[in-house]
Amino acid sequence: MKKLKYCVLLLAIVVFHFASAQNQANIWYFGKFCGLDFNSGVPVFTDEIPYDDADANAVMCDTAGNFLFSFNADNILNRNGTTMPNGNDLIGDSRASMGALIVQKPGSDHLYYVFTVGYKQAELIGMHYSVVDMHLDGGLGDVTSEKNIPLDAAWAASNKLTAVRATNGEDVWIITRNFKTDQWYVAFLLTSSGLSTQGVLSPVPERSDLNNEGSMKVSPDKKYLVAAYETAGLRDRLKTSLDICAFSALTGHVTLLYTLSKNPNSWTGLYEPYAVEFSPDSKMLYVTYYDGALGIDSMELYQYDMQYIEDSLQFKQSERFIARGPVNGLQLARDGKIYCTEVRFLPYDYISVINEPWKRGTACNYQANAIYLDGHKTKYFLDNVLLDYLYRFEWNGECARHPIAFQPNFIPQPASILWNFGDGETSTALWPVHYYEDSGEYEVYVKVTYPSGRIEETSRVITILDSPRPDLGPDTLICEGAEVVLTAGSDTGFYA
């Protein structure tokens, strides 16, 4: 029995290892001929693909981190840097803050959905999707006949577009914000059967579709959604604010908790939020604001403590000023750092970085002008990435007294690693397997030391379910060919 258990466990770990590689976001293209390659674990500038002039950016790699194609809301470039035969004239707007998104169809190794939303005057574009088949054009990929399909529940969507996997770990929620007469967040579920076009609607108070630029992100624990609205119509400056929302990865519903503005009243417009991002452990929120009191080139970075997010006053009081300068864009990357783009309206040929986003205040180690882009200029926003591609680690299993296999997603491979499973047990194995004795929630901490000497710390909360303890009673002797009925009772936690 022990030998069988060991073999089953080993097989599960091997399958998990080869099926779950998360390298699809290892290469970015953005701005004017800018690119970053994270495959080595250290971002390296690249301009192999002639990607030009967009705020709407999306790239897809394969599970090994090899570039497949890029998308700027208008055109799709294949891995050779040429437009796919049917990959032009997509309905979208490359100026939109999060105007492009690529999501692989669950259960498929060759079908991808690309999504677009509008910029200003949202009803002129709305939300559309097209399907890319990587088996076409000799393996370079092409857009199928399923092209520029409008989504009626998002007929006036603009600037807000993000994606996360659902609770089952397979399906994907595609989330946007609709404006005009239908004011709601809407989430579309992509499954192995295709895209559900009905959408899950979450009504919210009215906002203007004009000047609503800004990014929208879901926290890595998938409990919250935050969206930035630049000026929201220019009338009520308190609507120049953040939507602070609860999110359900089970149902796709978004619940507005409150709005958060740095402006003192409805007629004084000093601060305009542009970009938002969460630390990988969901404990910090970062927000970029344009500070109108200081001039055209003044962008400021602030940090908020997520432990207070349910209380609007405490959350606002947790605000910490981090830096002023090139702090726009805000996109978490495969190395666990958050990357930043240009100052508003000014050309910028560097990328800045928050090196330790899990740390409080200026200890987060913001570094301006960290990566030179060889003279190429960024735009406001970086690539739009499926949240789940950025997890620092994952696991397979959920029951007490059963094996939980942990998968590291750290690149490059760490020189050393220390796991703390939250129950008093630790491990220094790269791919540890752990048994929890009791059900409950445990915060798993990981401390990683890379070959360069860099240290990363992160954590995630894992929910362990109780394992049934069947009691079949005393042994019963039966004759060959006879029948017997066994019952384990019907109490909670038992088989019936």
Side-chain angles (χ1 to χ4, degrees):
M1 179 61 73
K2 287 184 178 180
K3 183 176 181 181
L4 177 60
K5 178 180 178 182
Y6 174 78
C7 291
V8 171
L9 174 59
L10 181 61
L11 178 62
I13 295 173
V14 170
V15 171
F16 188 44
H17 177 83
F18 286 103
S20 303
Q22 296 282 39
N23 297 308
Q24 292 91 333
N26 280 18
I27 296 176
W28 293 355
Y29 284 104
F30 52 92
K32 295 182 70 66
F33 307 107
C34 300
L36 291 176
D37 187 333
F38 291 88
N39 276 295
S40 69
V42 177
V44 176
F45 171 75
T46 178
D47 60 354
E48 292 183 5
I49 301 300
Y51 190 90
D52 185 22
D53 203 19
D55 274 319
N57 310 298
V59 171
M60 181 59 64
C61 301
D62 62 21
T63 56
N66 300 307
F67 173 76
L68 293 178
F69 63 97
S70 63
F71 178 43
N72 70 351
D74 295 327
N75 299 290
I76 302 177
L77 300 181
N78 63 27
R79 65 175 177 267
N80 290 337
T82 58
T83 302
M84 290 183 177
N86 194 30
N88 57 357
D89 298 326
L90 275 82
I91 298 176
D93 196 317
S94 63
R95 299 170 297 173
S97 303
M98 302 181 75
L101 177 67
I102 305 170
V103 179
Q104 186 171 3
K105 183 180 180 182
S108 174
D109 64 354
H110 66 285
L111 294 178
Y112 297 83
Y113 281 66
V114 298
F115 297 89
T116 61
V117 293
Y119 177 51
K120 296 182 179 179
Q121 296 180 295
E123 76 281 5
L124 298 181
I125 293 181
M127 184 174 179
H128 293 76
Y129 78 89
S130 304
V131 177
V132 172
D133 186 342
M134 292 304 297
H135 285 172
L136 299 178
D137 195 28
L140 292 175
D142 196 10
V143 179
T144 70
S145 59
E146 201 169 355
K147 180 180 179 181
N148 288 332
I149 308 299
L151 291 166
D152 292 342
W155 65 275
S158 66
N159 285 306
K160 309 291 184 280
L161 182 60
T162 192
V164 299
R165 285 203 178 105
T167 302
N168 65 11
E170 298 293 333
D171 303 334
V172 179
W173 291 111
I174 317 299
I175 311 164
T176 188
R177 172 64 154 85
N178 202 69
F179 296 90
K180 294 294 184 181
T181 57
D182 293 327
Q183 296 275 336
W184 53 53
Y185 288 98
V186 54
F188 300 95
L189 190 62
L190 179 62
T191 73
S192 59
S193 300
L195 184 69
S196 174
T197 58
Q198 290 186 336
V200 176
L201 307 182
S202 300
V204 286
E206 183 269 342
R207 282 186 182 273
S208 172
D209 65 310
L210 299 176
N211 303 104
N212 64 20
E213 292 95 320
S215 61
M216 175 178 72
K217 301 289 178 65
V218 173
S219 58
D221 60 11
K222 300 181 183 176
K223 293 181 178 180
Y224 299 100
L225 176 148
V226 174
Y229 294 86
E230 178 204 359
T231 55
L234 300 175
R235 293 187 298 273
D236 184 351
R237 289 299 188 169
L238 290 177
K239 288 189 175 181
T240 302
S241 60
L242 306 173
D243 271 2
I244 308 295
C245 307
F247 174 71
S248 170
L250 177 64
T251 66
H253 280 105
V254 176
T255 303
L256 179 65
L257 300 177
Y258 53 89
T259 61
L260 184 67
S261 177
K262 281 181 63 63
N263 292 323
N265 50 55
S266 61
W267 61 87
T268 304
L270 297 176
Y271 291 95
E272 299 175 1
Y274 267 79
V276 298
E277 186 58 284
F278 295 92
S279 59
D281 58 6
S282 301
K283 293 185 177 181
M284 301 296 166
L285 170 69
Y286 292 87
V287 181
T288 296
Y289 293 93
Y290 164 64
D291 186 345
L294 296 178
I296 195 172
D297 60 346
S298 296
M299 301 294 289
E300 296 180 342
L301 177 65
Y302 289 83
Q303 181 196 73
Y304 298 83
D305 194 328
M306 288 293 292
Q307 68 175 311
Y308 303 115
I309 192 170
E310 297 283 347
D311 185 307
S312 60
L313 179 59
Q314 289 193 73
F315 193 58
K316 186 176 180 65
Q317 290 174 341
S318 76
E319 177 186 282
R320 295 290 184 273
F321 173 79
I322 302 301
R324 181 178 295 116
V327 295
N328 205 4
L330 295 187
Q331 179 58 52
L332 182 64
R334 276 283 283 117
D335 58 359
K337 300 180 181 182
I338 295 175
Y339 289 82
C340 317
T341 62
E342 64 185 17
V343 179
R344 190 182 188 188
F345 301 132
L346 296 182
Y348 184 56
D349 54 2
Y350 285 85
I351 286 290
S352 299
V353 61
I354 305 172
N355 287 290
E356 300 172 281
W358 64 90
K359 291 186 176 180
R360 191 74 172 100
T362 55
C364 69
N365 191 11
Y366 166 77
Q367 180 184 1
N369 305 335
I371 303 171
Y372 180 55
L373 298 175
D374 198 29
H376 300 292
K377 305 299 189 293
T378 69
K379 299 284 282 185
Y380 288 167
F381 294 96
L382 294 165
D383 288 70
N384 200 353
V385 178
L386 175 71
L387 169 65
D388 302 72
Y389 291 156
L390 304 175
Y391 278 143
R392 309 309 296 137
F393 64 91
E394 298 168 274
W395 58 85
N396 187 32
E398 60 180 3
C399 292
R401 299 174 298 280
H402 286 259
I404 310 295
F406 287 88
Q407 171 189 309
N409 290 333
F410 306 106
I411 53 172
Q413 182 170 310
S416 66
I417 188 169
L418 176 62
W419 301 79
N420 185 326
F421 300 109
D423 62 352
E425 299 295 325
T426 62
S427 174
T428 57
L430 183 60
W431 290 71
V433 176
H434 185 65
Y435 291 79
Y436 288 94
E437 287 300 317
D438 300 303
S439 61
E441 288 193 342
Y442 299 87
E443 186 166 10
V444 179
Y445 292 86
V446 187
K447 183 175 182 180
V448 174
T449 302
Y450 292 98
S452 65
R454 175 196 166 210
I455 294 176
E456 178 183 359
E457 299 178 22
T458 192
S459 68
R460 291 183 66 189
V461 174
I462 180 172
T463 300
I464 299 297
L465 305 179
D466 195 20
S467 296
R469 301 173 184 264
D471 183 3
L472 301 180
D475 293 342
T476 301
L477 296 176
I478 61 172
C479 297
E480 184 177 355
E483 294 184 357
V484 64
V485 177
L486 302 176
T487 178
S490 57
D491 294 336
T492 301
F494 284 78
Y495 294 112

